[in-house]
Amino acid sequence: MSDDDPWDEDPRYAQHAAWQSLSTRFTNSGYRQGIIAGKEAALQQGFDLGFANTGAPIGRELGTLRGIASALVSFLSSINATRAELDEARDIAASLSRIRFNDIAPPDIEAEQHAREHLHEDDPGLVQTEALSQKREMEILEDMLSHMGAGVTQQIRPTREDIAKLKGRLSSLSARLGA
């Protein structure tokens, strides 16, 4: 290597540069993997907590009520029950079948706050994925179809209070039947 030739490289420089590049790539890759693992762990923990405290209890309650109502309709259909009792059981079962989890689950305030923090200042709405938007559009269409010809002008989705009322009606009907 000549001191006069600016194009001559020190071979150690190329090795050092290659080592630096490789080291940087491994560091960045490890950092990304750590971030992903952390997010996955937090996501799993959040899912587990939400499922245990919200999803499972609400789903179990709604499923139990639907099962009792369906069994009662079936039972009343098989015996010589009064028309009013059978109609009441069918109405309760139909009302329970129209309830969606999203209708009665409490809002996820933490998730909504997180979404708001990551929106642009001029965007007041929450971020919706295309899949979520399509699901909501389908639910709106289902609601419209279910009310065609029924003269319903405004759709009001059920609430937790509606569940409590239906549960009371179901208990009352069961008590009248001696069940």
Side-chain angles (χ1 to χ4, degrees):
M1 179 165 95
S2 160
D3 288 338
D4 297 339
D5 189 357
W7 302 110
D8 277 344
E9 283 186 13
D10 182 357
R12 291 175 291 173
Y13 175 77
Q15 290 171 345
H16 180 71
W19 171 253
Q20 283 298 107
S21 174
L22 186 62
S23 177
T24 300
R25 287 196 327 224
F26 273 108
T27 300
N28 289 344
S29 177
Y31 179 76
R32 277 193 301 272
Q33 288 175 354
I35 295 275
I36 290 168
K39 285 181 180 180
E40 287 174 355
L43 182 64
Q44 185 63 50
Q45 182 182 13
F47 172 83
D48 292 345
L49 188 63
F51 182 78
N53 294 337
T54 304
I58 290 173
R60 187 179 306 114
E61 179 186 18
L62 185 56
T64 300
L65 291 174
R66 285 176 176 171
I68 292 169
S70 294
L72 200 52
V73 168
S74 179
F75 172 72
L76 291 173
S77 297
S78 69
I79 66 167
N80 194 14
T82 67
R83 184 75 180 164
E85 292 168 336
L86 185 56
D87 287 346
E88 173 73 357
R90 283 182 176 151
D91 184 60
I92 293 169
S95 295
L96 287 168
S97 73
R98 287 188 291 271
I99 296 172
R100 297 184 187 118
F101 179 81
N102 291 344
D103 294 332
I104 57 176
D108 188 345
I109 304 297
E110 200 173 305
E112 290 177 6
Q113 180 61 34
H114 178 78
R116 282 188 190 95
E117 289 171 2
H118 292 86
L119 291 175
H120 295 89
E121 295 295 323
D122 59 348
D123 189 356
L126 293 178
V127 174
Q128 287 192 23
T129 63
E130 186 172 336
L132 182 57
S133 295
Q134 289 175 350
K135 180 181 177 192
R136 290 201 175 143
E137 286 176 21
M138 184 57 73
E139 288 176 351
I140 291 168
L141 287 173
E142 288 171 351
D143 291 342
M144 288 171 45
L145 285 173
S146 70
H147 291 90
M148 287 182 89
V152 177
T153 56
Q154 183 180 10
Q155 172 65 30
I156 299 173
R157 295 300 311 158
T159 64
R160 293 289 296 164
E161 290 77 27
D162 295 322
I163 293 280
K165 290 175 187 173
L166 290 168
K167 187 176 185 177
R169 286 175 58 196
L170 194 57
S171 294
S172 175
L173 180 58
S174 295
R176 286 194 312 259
L177 297 170

